[in-house]
Every structure is written in structure tokens, then in C-alpha cells.
Amino acid sequence: MYEPYNLDKHEIFRRIGANIALARTNANLTQGELAEMIGCSPQFLGRLERGERTITLDHVFTIASVLNISPVALMTDCFPEHLHADYGPDFLSTRRPHLRLLTPDDKERS
């Protein structure tokens, strides 16, 4: 019988937040600068980066767009490996580096 995996949403938010912080620092932006670019306060962005706030897909796509990265990069390593079994064993590793720039083809598909 199938038993669903109990995802710890707080851990998922923490990992997404850590990826946002990494992407922001790699883009040489302060929290204040990125917050202004995405239309939120630096305090709110800080809470997102620490995983203290629920992040919506709208936030993920807005942040990824401003940083010119794939939204998938912000969610990399957030879910247990066995949940990606349908995609094959190399699914996550083929999406490295986390912070690749979007290509024109990527942008057309989004």
C-alpha cells in the first residue's frame, strides 16, 4: 500500500529561503536591493530567506525572474530524492549548477 511522504513544510521553506539568499548574494545584491526589485520590504525578504514565512509560487517566479534564474533553481534540493524517482536518478544532478542563467529558449517557454 502506498504511504504518502510527510513533507516538513518548514524545512522546505528554509531550503528555498537558503537558495534565495545564495542566488541573491551570487547576484551581488543586498536584501534591500532585491526587496525593492521584487516589491517587498527587506524584513519580509529576510523572513523568506530564513524560512520563517510561507513562500508562494508567485514569490518564487518573481524572485527568479528578477535574478534571471530558473524558478526550479530556487527549489533545488528541497524535496526528498525518492520523490523524484519518476524522473530518473540524475534528475537533480543534471540541474546543477543551481544558479544557471536562463537561456532565450527558457524565457520563451515561461
Side-chain angles (χ1 to χ4, degrees):
M1 175 179 200
Y2 173 75
E3 291 187 31
Y5 183 80
N6 185 16
L7 294 175
D8 179 357
K9 67 180 180 179
H10 301 291
E11 179 62 17
I12 292 169
F13 296 147
R14 191 194 65 71
R15 289 180 183 190
I16 293 172
N19 288 340
I20 291 169
L22 178 62
R24 176 183 55 76
T25 57
N26 283 350
N28 296 314
L29 294 172
T30 65
Q31 280 184 340
E33 291 167 336
L34 180 57
E36 184 175 329
M37 295 168 81
I38 65 171
C40 73
S41 71
Q43 294 81 9
F44 180 78
L45 180 59
R47 288 191 291 271
L48 283 179
E49 288 185 353
R50 291 187 300 276
E52 296 170 359
R53 292 296 306 255
T54 300
I55 189 163
T56 65
L57 282 176
D58 186 48
H59 289 127
V60 170
F61 279 86
T62 299
I63 293 167
S65 176
V66 166
L67 295 174
N68 197 34
I69 60 173
S70 168
V72 172
L74 297 178
M75 295 183 279
T76 300
D77 297 330
C78 294
F79 301 97
E81 295 265 346
H82 76 275
L83 295 180
H84 301 287
D86 293 342
Y87 299 105
D90 296 324
F91 177 75
L92 291 177
S93 63
T94 60
R95 269 109 183 122
R96 304 269 192 284
H98 296 315
L99 305 175
R100 72 178 179 83
L101 293 177
L102 291 176
T103 66
D105 290 339
D106 292 330
K107 290 181 181 181
E108 285 179 19
R109 284 190 292 256
S110 58

